[in-house]
């Protein structure tokens, strides 16, 4: 019996009626194998997947045995972060599929991720996970990466004043990306060391990322043309 089964999903925009497919697992992202059983202890990349706890089903006995519960926060904000991390840490058999088996409403105005006032709850979630991993030192490295990526994602979505205030409270993160093939690893390391400076020069990173994506597309077009010849 599997401990967790996690799937991809469809983004559903109620106002426009449009839907887009969200692929959680693919070769160039987290390197998480699909359609096979994974032991998180052997493939810690699975901890880096989006904490979409609603796109998964869980073995209740596994959760109860390992005391996996939501951390109480005002407005139930960012509780999916700690829950998913602890669930993966407690599991030995996880099955991932890219089949979009869930429809998720993306334009819910009451969602925690749309509120700048609730963002500091994410710090509380990771502080709790730091305590949780005190007896699991093998998870400290991947936890630091999860924390930095989560903080950086929030900074990118917030307006400047809120982003700077959040970065100031979040502080520096001791991070080690050794052994992890991560996109934008240099940007991640810069943010972890200089979060406030990162917020100030964020537009430069946007331009850099846009230029890299454009260059990648151009190179692909050239390679395709050469292969045809």
């Amino acid at each position: 019996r599997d401990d967790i089964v996690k799937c991809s999903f469809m983004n559903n925009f109620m106002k426009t009626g449009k839907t887009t497919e969200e692929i959680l697992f693919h070769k160039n992202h987290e390197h998480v194998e699909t359609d096979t059983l994974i032991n998180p202890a052997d493939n810690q990349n699975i901890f880096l997947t989006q904490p979409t706890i609603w796109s998964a089903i869980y073995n209740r006995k596994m959760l109860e045995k390992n005391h996996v519960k939501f951390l109480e926060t005002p407005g139930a904000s960012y509780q999916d972060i700690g829950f998913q991390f602890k669930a993966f840490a407690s599991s030995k058999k996880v099955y991932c599929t890219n089949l979009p088996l869930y429809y998720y409403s993306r334009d819910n105005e009451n969602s925690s991720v749309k509120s700048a006032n609730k963002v500091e709850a994410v710090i509380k979630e990771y502080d709790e996970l730091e305590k949780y991993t005190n007896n699991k030192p093998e998870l400290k490295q991947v936890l630091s990466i999860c924390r930095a990526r989560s903080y950086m994602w929030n900074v990118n979505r917030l307006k400047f004043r809120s982003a700077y205030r959040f970065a100031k409270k979040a502080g520096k993160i001791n991070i080690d990306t050794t052994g992890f093939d991560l996109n934008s690893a240099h940007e991640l390391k810069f943010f972890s060391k200089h979060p406030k400076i990162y917020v100030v020069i964020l537009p430069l990173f946007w331009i850099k990322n846009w230029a890299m994506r454009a260059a990648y597309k151009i190179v692909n077009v050239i390679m395709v043309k050469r292969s045809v010849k």
Side-chain angles (χ1 to χ4, degrees):
R1 179 182 296 180
D2 299 347
D3 293 322
I4 300 174
V5 177
K6 190 172 180 67
C7 66
S8 291
F9 56 92
M10 299 295 292
N11 292 305
N12 188 28
F13 298 90
M14 300 291 289
K15 293 180 180 179
T16 62
K18 293 183 178 180
T19 58
T20 58
E21 187 173 352
E22 186 86 12
I23 302 297
L24 285 184
F25 317 102
H26 49 89
K27 294 181 180 179
N28 296 322
H29 190 44
E30 310 298 6
H31 296 282
V32 174
E33 293 182 89
T34 57
D35 305 315
T36 186
L37 288 177
I38 296 173
N39 185 342
D42 299 327
N43 186 353
Q44 291 190 355
N45 282 318
I46 197 169
F47 286 92
L48 304 177
T49 56
Q50 292 184 42
T52 53
I53 58 173
W54 32 261
S55 69
I57 54 177
Y58 306 86
N59 184 318
R60 181 173 178 175
K61 290 184 178 180
M62 178 274 294
L63 296 178
E64 292 176 342
K65 178 182 177 181
N66 293 281
H67 308 288
V68 178
K69 298 179 180 180
F70 290 107
L71 180 65
E72 292 187 12
T73 51
S77 303
Y78 295 90
Q79 293 178 334
D80 46 359
I81 291 173
F83 184 91
Q84 174 169 284
F85 193 95
K86 292 176 182 178
F88 281 149
S90 303
S91 303
K92 294 183 179 179
K93 296 179 180 180
V94 179
Y95 186 90
C96 300
T97 177
N98 269 326
L99 290 175
L101 303 177
Y102 190 92
Y103 275 73
Y104 178 65
S105 178
R106 278 293 184 187
D107 45 8
N108 179 6
E109 296 300 329
N110 295 319
S111 176
S112 295
V113 297
K114 295 183 182 296
S115 173
N117 297 325
K118 297 179 180 179
V119 68
E120 292 177 19
V122 71
I123 300 175
K124 185 176 181 179
E125 283 289 321
Y126 280 106
D127 286 346
E128 171 63 23
L129 285 175
E130 284 290 347
K131 298 176 184 177
Y132 174 77
T133 55
N134 283 338
N135 296 323
K136 301 177 184 293
E138 70 279 5
L139 296 178
K140 287 289 187 181
Q141 178 190 9
V142 71
L143 176 60
S144 69
I145 297 173
C146 288
R147 182 193 282 261
R149 284 177 54 158
S150 180
Y151 286 6
M152 195 163 72
W153 179 84
N154 278 285
V155 162
N156 273 268
R157 75 176 180 83
L158 293 169
K159 293 181 179 180
F160 177 80
R161 187 171 295 179
S162 296
Y164 191 83
R165 183 168 60 247
F166 172 71
K168 187 176 180 180
K169 291 191 175 183
K172 297 181 180 180
I173 303 170
N174 293 322
I175 188 172
D176 178 10
T177 58
T178 304
F180 286 89
D181 182 15
L182 297 173
N183 293 328
S184 306
H186 295 298
E187 184 176 347
L188 191 68
K189 288 182 179 180
F190 183 89
F191 171 81
S192 65
K193 293 180 180 179
H194 313 285
K196 291 183 288 185
I197 297 176
Y198 175 85
V199 173
V200 175
I201 65 173
L202 184 55
L204 297 179
F205 282 104
W206 289 342
I207 294 171
K208 181 207 73 171
N209 293 335
W210 175 86
M212 290 183 65
R213 287 194 297 270
Y216 180 77
K217 290 180 180 179
I218 293 172
V219 170
N220 274 348
V221 170
I222 294 173
M223 295 299 291
V224 169
K225 288 183 177 179
R226 286 184 176 180
S227 64
V228 171
K229 291 180 180 180

